Structures are given as C-alpha cells and as structure tokens.
Amino acid sequence: MTYLGMGLSLLSAPLLARELGADGRGVLAAAFVLVQLLSWSAFLGLPRGLAMQELRNGYASRNALRVVTLLGPIAAVIAFIASGAAANGDDRIATYIKVAASVLVLAGLGAVGVERALIRGQLLAVNLSRALNLVLPSLAIIIAFGSGVLTLQSAFVITLSGQMLSVLLGIVLATPLLRSRTRIPAPWRFSLHYWGGSAFDGIGARVDQLILAACVLPNQLGVYAVAVTCASAAGGFTQALNQLTYSRFASLPIGSDDAPMLRKRTFIGLAMSALSGGLIVVVVALWGDWLFGSSFDGLFPIVSVLVIAQAMNDQWQLRTYLDSASGDPSALMWASACGMVVLVAVAVLLGMSGNLSGLSMAWALVGFAAVRLAVRAIIHRTRPAPV
C-alpha cells in the first residue's frame, strides 16, 4: 500500500507540476503545511498513549478521551487565527488554510483509531487509512488531469477530501476503544514523553516548508515541495517495514533483548533506502525537466540532498516505534528537541544572511536528522542499565 501510494504520488506530482506551475504548486503546499503541523503536535501524544493503555490494560481513560476531543476544535481555531501569518501576505493561501483547518476538529479521535489499529497489527485497517490519504487523492488528481478539470481549486478539494475521509475512518476504528473507556488515570507520563518527541518530529517534518512559505515566493516553495514528494518515495519500503516491526516490538516480553531485531531492520531499511533513493535521483537527473516542466529548475540538487534526510528520518521512525513499544520514549523527546534547536538555528542564520533557499533548507534537514539520531544513541548508551 505504501508503494502504491508513493507510485501514484510520483505519477500525479508531474501532472500537478505541469498544470499548476511552480507558483500554484507552492500555494497548494502552503495551504496544508500548518494544518499538518497541528495534526501531529496538538494532541499531546494522547492518541498513542490511549492505544497503548487499552492494549496493556483493556481499558482507556475517559478523561484522556475528553481532552483529545477538546483539543481538535482548539487546534482548528489556532490554524484559523494563524493563517494570515503563515500565508506571507498571499490571500489565496490564507483562505485555503482557513478551510483546511476544519479537518482538525475531529483529527484527534481519528488519530486514536489509527494508532489502535497500528499497535495491534491490524494491517487491513492501517492500509485503508493510508489509501485514503495517499492513494485516493493521487488517483483522483490523475483522473482530474485526464478529464481536463485539474486546477488549483480542484487539487485542494481532492487533498482535503482524502484527509477528511481518513479522519472519519479513524473514528470508526476507535469505536472499540471508545466503548472501553472508564474512570482510570490518563496515560500522561507516556503520552507527554512521546509527545515531546513527536511534536518536535512533526514540526521538523514540515517546519521547513512553513519557513519557506513565510519567507520566499510560492514558486520557490513549489520547487521544494515537489522535491520533497520525490524524496519521500525513497522511504516507501522502509516505512512499511517499520510499521510491521512496531507490532512485533510491542509483542516482545518486557525486558527482552530487542537489539537483534533492531539491527536487522536497520540494515534492510538502509539498503532499500539507498537503492530506491539512488533510483529516484537518477530519474530526476535524466528526466526531471521533461516530467515537471521548465519552471522547476533546480529540482535535482534539492532531491539529491533530501533523499539523504529521508533515509535518516526512516531510521528515526524505526527507533520511535521501538521506544514507544517499550513504554519509555523519554530519549525521543530530548533527541528531537536538540535536532529542532539545530534546525531552527540554521534556518535563522540562513535567513539573516540572505542564503535561505530550498537547497540550503534541505541541508538543514540533514543536520536535523543526524543530530536527532546521534543524541538518542548517546542517551541510550549512557543511561544506567535496568536493575
């Protein structure tokens, strides 16, 4: 399902690029980046904490579910208010952000359902959720292009519809957990530790586009957004492998040695990232101009750097699943915080020196990913062994 989504994305990306141009593609990217950031960071880690709590105890905290439900509308209001600042004076972007914010209202409950299916290894449900977010929008864009109705407006509606359907499916998947809610304490310790890392991860995954949206012209963001789409395809196999491994990590007895499985999955993931990333770089180098059009000049070097960051991000995802399954995600928070400090500091320096561009931001993401992995490794090697 991951590769089907990635493959269709690679088919739809050139169609979007040709039809919308770099400017329109940049507007489309900017319309969703703030909403995506909030969907990943606004729920305090409670969706995964609740899924873990129900798996371990058979019940979920009623109060925690109430908090998740309340945080959705709050996140939507924040996106609505911040739309002007995030749009860099572009009224088109501001309007799209306000409309897209509606998906946040129920996004927390939707995330609870997806997390529940993921940790239980319910691959059919997880794949269906990914299909609504990845496969359906790309397929609809291809159909719209063939029908001659692909515009900026129709591309926005298609993307938003896929996100809304995914949220609704997540709510359906959360139904067993909602029925098991009871008056037990909310899993704050796990959730906040996990959130501390995942919030930084979510911000790091899109803050690059948020900064570019606020500081450069839409056409420059458009080139960068297409480069991100191309590079993300390099992680298809590794991400699918990571998701399968998550449920296996969660099924291991507490205190068991998970190092052999981690080493094996790391080696396979890196090998596949190198193979698929190299293939994508070659395709963009040889046929990039023909695929995306002349307005996407400068795409090749950005893609070449971003595939490195993608490989590192996929390895970080594997370690996030491992620490989440072990019930001790505290190292993730500190590692992600250090990486975020580096990313923001580099972005600020680039902006102040007048060197902020898609390529320099891509290198900043490589630094962010490298620092994150290094700090987590240091924490795990220096922490006392359990008694």
Side-chain angles (χ1 to χ4, degrees):
M1 184 59 65
T2 300
Y3 266 116
L4 178 59
M6 294 294 185
L8 287 173
S9 293
L10 289 178
L11 288 175
S12 63
L15 304 182
L16 272 176
R18 285 180 170 274
E19 199 68 21
L20 305 186
D23 177 78
R25 187 63 184 84
V27 171
L28 185 63
F32 288 100
V33 62
L34 178 60
V35 172
Q36 289 176 331
L37 282 173
L38 288 169
S39 70
W40 293 335
S41 60
F43 298 103
L44 305 180
L46 285 171
R48 180 161 295 186
L50 283 164
M52 180 71 72
Q53 184 182 56
E54 192 215 13
L55 179 69
R56 302 292 191 199
N57 304 322
Y59 298 97
S61 169
R62 179 179 300 169
N63 287 336
L65 282 167
R66 288 172 178 169
V67 172
V68 169
T69 304
L70 180 62
L71 287 173
I74 292 175
V77 171
I78 291 173
F80 195 93
I81 294 173
S83 60
N88 193 25
D90 193 312
D91 291 337
R92 298 172 298 172
I93 297 175
T95 300
Y96 285 142
I97 292 175
K98 291 175 181 177
V99 176
S102 60
V103 79
L104 291 169
V105 175
L106 297 175
L109 289 177
V112 170
V114 174
E115 288 288 352
R116 184 182 187 276
L118 183 60
I119 199 171
R120 291 173 177 271
Q122 297 172 350
L123 297 183
L124 179 61
V126 173
N127 282 337
L128 183 56
S129 175
R130 292 179 65 81
L132 294 174
N133 249 332
L134 292 174
V135 176
L136 185 62
S138 296
L139 187 60
I141 285 172
I142 294 171
I143 294 173
F145 178 84
S147 304
V149 296
L150 182 59
T151 63
L152 176 58
Q153 291 78 14
S154 62
F156 172 81
V157 171
I158 288 170
T159 306
L160 182 62
S161 298
Q163 294 181 5
M164 286 183 169
L165 289 173
S166 180
V167 167
L168 293 176
L169 173 64
I171 294 173
V172 173
L173 296 176
T175 301
L177 187 146
L178 297 176
R179 291 173 178 169
S180 71
R181 66 189 186 276
T182 188
R183 298 175 65 88
I184 59 175
W188 285 116
R189 184 178 181 277
F190 171 88
S191 297
L192 290 177
H193 273 136
Y194 170 71
W195 175 76
S198 64
F200 286 122
D201 291 344
I203 294 170
R206 286 294 181 270
V207 73
D208 52 342
Q209 295 187 42
L210 186 64
I211 293 173
L212 289 174
C215 298
V216 302
L217 296 174
N219 65 314
Q220 294 174 276
L221 175 60
V223 174
Y224 185 84
V226 169
V228 170
T229 299
C230 294
S232 65
F237 180 89
T238 308
Q239 291 166 21
L241 183 67
N242 291 347
Q243 290 185 341
L244 289 171
T245 308
Y246 181 33
S247 59
R248 297 185 182 181
F249 281 147
S251 65
L252 289 174
I254 297 176
S256 60
D257 185 12
D258 47 37
M261 186 184 299
L262 177 63
R263 284 194 297 268
K264 180 179 179 180
R265 303 297 182 174
T266 297
F267 175 78
I268 297 174
L270 285 174
M272 292 305 301
S273 293
L275 180 62
S276 55
L279 178 62
I280 288 168
V281 168
V282 169
V283 170
V284 172
L286 295 179
W287 300 292
D289 290 342
W290 177 78
L291 285 172
F292 301 105
S294 59
S295 64
F296 287 85
D297 184 45
L299 185 65
F300 169 70
I302 301 176
V303 172
S304 301
V305 176
L306 285 178
V307 293
I308 301 173
Q310 182 64 50
M312 292 181 175
N313 290 336
D314 292 338
Q315 290 305 311
W316 173 258
Q317 181 197 53
L318 177 63
R319 284 148 181 82
T320 298
Y321 285 147
L322 171 60
D323 290 357
S324 297
S326 68
D328 184 16
S330 56
L332 301 175
M333 178 180 66
W334 295 110
S336 293
C338 291
M340 179 55 59
V341 169
V342 170
L343 177 59
V344 172
V346 171
V348 169
L349 291 175
L350 289 171
M352 293 176 62
S353 63
N355 293 315
L356 183 62
S357 66
L359 182 58
S360 62
M361 183 61 77
W363 280 114
L365 277 186
V366 171
F368 165 70
V371 168
R372 196 168 51 173
L373 286 169
V375 171
R376 180 197 171 275
I378 291 171
I379 292 175
H380 276 271
R381 289 176 182 175
T382 56
R383 95 176 8 164
V387 178

